[in-house]
């Protein structure tokens, strides 16, 4: 444990211990045990089958695609796939849970232990253990703003397939927790098993936080429920760790409980005492047979997995010569990696990376676009780089050209031709400018002869006089001749 991750209290250092339970909605057109649609945003109770509404005599039927998605996710997390798993009933009452129980998995989940390697901003790589991944159905949603004295229930989400991905208590800072969820979301998106849209609730997390003196046993944990913002998760952990430290240092004890985070106040508040597993009275669901998978099915899914972020990053570094930082940035989102590869194909990969990371992403962020809706396509950006590569335009003109393509579109080479943006490489065309500058600035000439670096003043003046169109290389060559360097 590095000292930088310890939290200083009034009576010494403390260590925060964090585990996460991530609920990821499975990418599937229909629900886990019924054929009802999973489409987001329908009118209340418009995507509800008789199974989802728990009508008498309605029996669940497993959705094979959801099982395949869970197995693919397990393989992407380098986890053990359990060829035999069991669905259980988790019993609790809630108004938007029509059956009075949730069909989930408990002691025999479909996916066992795995790991996620997280790269921190400091350059440190941290391995976070995955305890398990199990399939379960989502509950509905209670709506409290339709009537002054009654709540309504929308069952559109009832029965939607979720993967609950449980980490081991390996996280030791809010930074690690945020980086872990970011990496996990990236892997899910690469696999196509969850869209990771936290605003729509497709990905949300319960965060378990406890504190202890370094090296001592785990403390009592509190669970912060239903977090759907990575930034808020960081804030919630920071507040909750401080809250627990202050209570212990004041001589109190931590009650195991479920808490909610209030983003407006930046603090957590008590929701209810934390249930234990025995409170849910788990038992195997009598309506569902044990789920048995074949080695062949798992092998087929393994063979069809896409290249995941870690492998793509390694390839970008090894084959394209990118720095670890640039490669990490480019592989974080699959769409960005695909865009970059299209731009870099047959071109200078480092130059392509620089343009995608700095010019393109900077402008996307400024204008509120994502890479999929970029006004400049990969082909257009590649065309700009081709013009730089064959010295038709300079780097400065390329930025002006990028701005034109962003706002007006068009073929970069045609735009350069139509607007006369090409570099001037004809020495005779810039010779007059150089001669005039040399004649009018004898002191600068002497400085350049004494220190060749001072020649850059002349280069700047020529570029300015030519409107940035003069070829810097041609200007350098001509000045060296004129100044006798």
């Amino acid at each position: 444990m590095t000292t930088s991750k310890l939290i200083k209290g009034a009576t010494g250092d403390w260590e925060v211990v964090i585990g996460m339970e991530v609920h990821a909605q499975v990418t599937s057109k229909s629900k886990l045990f019924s054929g009802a649609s999973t489409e987001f945003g329908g009118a209340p109770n418009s995507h509800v089958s008789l199974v989802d509404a728990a009508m008498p005599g309605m029996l669940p039927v497993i959705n094979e695609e959801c099982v395949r998605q869970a197995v693919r996710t397990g393989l992407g997390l380098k986890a053990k796939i359990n060829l035999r798993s069991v669905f259980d009933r988790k019993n609790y009452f809630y108004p938007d849970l029509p059956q009075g129980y949730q069909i989930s998995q408990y002691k025999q989940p479909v996916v066992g232990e795995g790991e996620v390697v997280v790269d921190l901003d400091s350059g440190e790589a941290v391995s976070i253990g995955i305890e398990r991944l199990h399939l379960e159905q989502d509950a509905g949603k209670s709506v409290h703003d339709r009537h002054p004295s009654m709540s309504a229930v929308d069952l559109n989400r009832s029965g939607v397939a979720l993967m609950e991905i449980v980490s081991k208590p390996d996280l030791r800072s809010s930074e690690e927790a945020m980086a872990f969820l970011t990496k996990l979301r990236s892997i899910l998106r690469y696999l196509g098993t969850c869209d990771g849209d936290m605003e729509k609730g497709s990905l949300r997390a319960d965060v378990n936080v406890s504190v202890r003196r370094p090296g001592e046993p785990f403390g009592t944990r509190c669970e912060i429920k239903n977090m759907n913002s990575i930034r808020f998760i960081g804030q919630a952990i920071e507040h909750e760790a401080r809250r627990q430290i202050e209570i212990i240092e004041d001589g109190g004890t931590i009650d195991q409980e479920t808490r909610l985070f209030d983003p407006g106040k930046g603090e957590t508040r008590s929701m209810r005492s934390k249930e234990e597993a025995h409170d849910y009275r788990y038992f195997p669901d009598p309506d569902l047979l044990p789920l048995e998978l074949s080695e062949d099915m798992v092998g087929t899914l393994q063979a069809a997995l896409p290249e995941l972020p870690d492998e793509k990053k390694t390839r970008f570094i090894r084959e394209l010569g990118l720095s670890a930082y640039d490669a990490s940035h480019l592989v974080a989102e699959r769409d960005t990696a695909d865009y970059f590869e299209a731009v870099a194909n047959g071109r200078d990969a480092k130059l392509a990376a620089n343009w995608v990371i700095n010019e393109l992403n900077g402008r996307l962020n400024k204008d509120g676009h994502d890479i999929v809706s970029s006004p400049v396509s990969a082909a257009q950006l590649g065309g700009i780089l081709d013009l730089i590569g064959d010295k038709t335009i300079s780097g400065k003109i390329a930025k002006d050209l990028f701005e034109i393509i962003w706002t007006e579109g068009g073929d970069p080479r045609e735009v350069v031709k139509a607007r006369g943006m090409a570099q001037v490489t004809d020495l005779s065309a810039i010779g007059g400018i150089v001669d005039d500058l040399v004649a009018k600035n004898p002191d600068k000439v002497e400085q350049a002869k004494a220190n060749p670096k001072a020649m850059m003043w002349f280069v700047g003046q020529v570029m300015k006089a030519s409107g940035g169109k003069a070829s810097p290389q041609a200007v350098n060559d001509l000045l060296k001749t004129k100044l006798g360097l």
Side-chain angles (χ1 to χ4, degrees):
M1 177 71 185
T2 59
T3 55
S4 62
K5 293 178 186 174
L6 297 177
I7 300 173
K8 293 196 177 300
T11 61
D13 290 339
W14 294 85
E15 181 180 29
V16 62
V17 177
I18 306 156
M20 298 181 77
E21 300 165 16
V22 180
H23 295 86
Q25 180 176 326
V26 177
T27 300
S28 168
K29 291 182 178 179
S30 52
K31 296 182 180 180
L32 184 56
F33 299 114
S34 81
S37 171
T38 59
E39 187 177 350
F40 181 80
N45 298 306
S46 60
H47 300 157
V48 185
S49 75
L50 296 176
V51 174
D52 308 324
M55 290 294 122
M58 294 297 104
L59 298 176
V61 177
I62 190 73
N63 180 339
E64 182 181 353
E65 179 59 19
C66 293
V67 176
R68 293 164 64 87
Q69 293 285 57
V71 172
R72 293 177 75 239
T73 303
L75 293 170
L77 298 175
K78 300 178 177 58
K80 179 180 184 293
I81 306 300
N82 296 320
L83 298 181
R84 187 180 192 277
S85 60
V86 174
F87 282 100
D88 298 282
R89 289 188 181 180
K90 180 180 181 181
N91 295 273
Y92 63 97
F93 173 77
Y94 211 70
D96 52 24
L97 190 71
Q99 295 129 307
Y101 60 84
Q102 177 189 41
I103 303 177
S104 182
Q105 294 186 310
Y106 180 45
K107 289 187 176 178
Q108 293 177 269
V110 67
V111 175
E113 293 188 346
E115 71 167 357
V116 173
V117 177
V118 174
D119 294 316
L120 304 178
D121 289 341
S122 63
E124 180 186 3
V126 181
S127 179
I128 308 302
I130 298 296
E131 182 69 42
R132 55 192 276 133
L133 178 158
H134 65 256
L135 278 168
E136 64 183 24
Q137 57 181 178
D138 203 354
K141 179 181 179 182
S142 295
V143 182
H144 308 294
D145 58 359
R146 295 291 182 95
H147 191 277
S149 61
M150 293 188 289
S151 292
V153 174
D154 178 7
L155 295 180
N156 279 350
R157 289 192 65 89
S158 178
V160 166
L162 300 178
M163 296 177 287
E164 180 168 335
I165 303 165
V166 182
S167 85
K168 294 186 178 182
D170 291 345
L171 299 156
R172 293 293 178 270
S173 68
S174 58
E175 180 198 7
E176 286 186 10
M178 291 189 292
F180 167 72
L181 190 54
T182 300
K183 181 66 171 286
L184 181 60
R185 183 174 63 171
S186 175
I187 292 170
L188 294 170
R189 284 175 164 173
Y190 266 77
L191 291 165
T193 56
C194 172
D195 65 20
D197 191 330
M198 300 184 78
E199 288 187 7
K200 293 180 179 178
S202 299
L203 191 72
R204 51 194 193 269
D206 301 334
V207 186
N208 291 284
V209 179
S210 65
V211 296
R212 65 178 179 181
R213 296 291 188 185
E216 290 189 355
F218 290 153
T220 301
R221 62 189 169 88
C222 292
E223 180 184 47
I224 309 169
K225 201 76 175 169
N226 278 332
M227 302 291 294
N228 67 343
S229 158
I230 291 174
R231 182 166 60 89
F232 288 161
I233 283 173
Q235 293 175 9
I237 290 169
E238 292 286 337
H239 174 270
E240 181 60 20
R242 288 279 177 196
R243 185 189 74 86
Q244 293 183 21
I245 290 168
E246 288 176 10
I247 289 173
I248 298 169
E249 289 188 330
D250 285 344
T253 57
I254 303 301
D255 295 323
Q256 183 170 326
E257 61 182 351
T258 299
R259 299 180 69 83
L260 293 175
F261 178 67
D262 184 336
K265 295 181 179 178
E267 61 186 33
T268 63
R269 66 173 187 270
S270 183
M271 179 183 174
R272 61 174 182 261
S273 60
K274 174 63 180 168
E275 301 89 348
E276 300 287 356
H278 62 256
D279 295 324
Y280 292 118
R281 306 189 324 279
Y282 281 99
F283 63 88
D285 192 303
D287 294 331
L288 289 160
L289 291 169
L291 186 61
E292 296 191 353
L293 311 177
S294 69
E295 292 274 13
D296 285 347
M297 174 197 170
V298 175
T300 300
L301 293 174
Q302 175 82 64
L305 288 184
E307 183 181 43
L308 292 171
D310 288 347
E311 291 98 60
K312 198 178 285 287
K313 175 185 171 182
T314 299
R315 178 168 62 82
F316 282 2
I317 294 170
R318 184 183 67 245
E319 296 181 9
L320 302 181
L322 300 187
S323 67
Y325 176 84
D326 284 354
S328 294
H329 190 104
L330 291 166
V331 305
E333 292 290 345
R334 186 174 183 175
D335 291 329
T336 302
D338 291 344
Y339 185 105
F340 162 73
E341 289 207 78
V343 174
N345 187 23
R347 302 183 178 95
D348 181 335
K350 292 181 181 178
L351 182 64
N354 183 52
W355 271 82
V356 171
I357 292 170
N358 297 313
E359 299 300 328
L360 179 71
N361 275 352
R363 191 57 194 270
L364 290 172
N365 291 335
K366 179 182 175 184
D367 285 18
H369 288 285
D370 59 26
I371 198 118
V372 176
S373 62
S374 170
V376 177
S377 70
Q380 287 171 318
L381 184 54
I384 294 173
L385 300 193
D386 288 339
L387 291 166
I388 297 173
D390 61 23
K391 295 185 170 52
T392 300
I393 59 174
S394 64
K396 181 182 182 304
I397 294 174
K399 292 185 179 182
D400 296 335
L401 176 60
F402 177 84
E403 183 65 28
I404 293 168
I405 301 298
W406 180 277
T407 54
E408 301 176 22
D411 176 78
R413 197 169 290 277
E414 292 299 320
V415 171
V416 167
K417 185 177 177 182
R419 301 201 180 198
M421 298 173 72
Q423 283 191 121
V424 178
T425 55
D426 180 4
L427 296 183
S428 62
I430 53 179
I433 299 174
V434 172
D435 288 339
D436 188 51
L437 284 168
V438 169
K440 290 181 177 177
N441 297 280
D443 55 331
K444 299 287 188 184
V445 172
E446 292 305 317
Q447 289 174 19
K449 287 182 176 179
N451 178 10
K453 289 184 179 178
M455 187 183 77
M456 293 310 296
W457 181 85
F458 285 99
V459 175
Q461 293 300 309
V462 175
M463 295 302 293
K464 185 177 179 181
S466 68
K469 292 182 183 178
S471 163
Q473 188 60 52
V475 173
N476 269 285
D477 293 343
L478 185 60
L479 280 167
K480 284 179 182 176
T481 302
K482 296 283 187 181
L483 300 175
L485 300 178

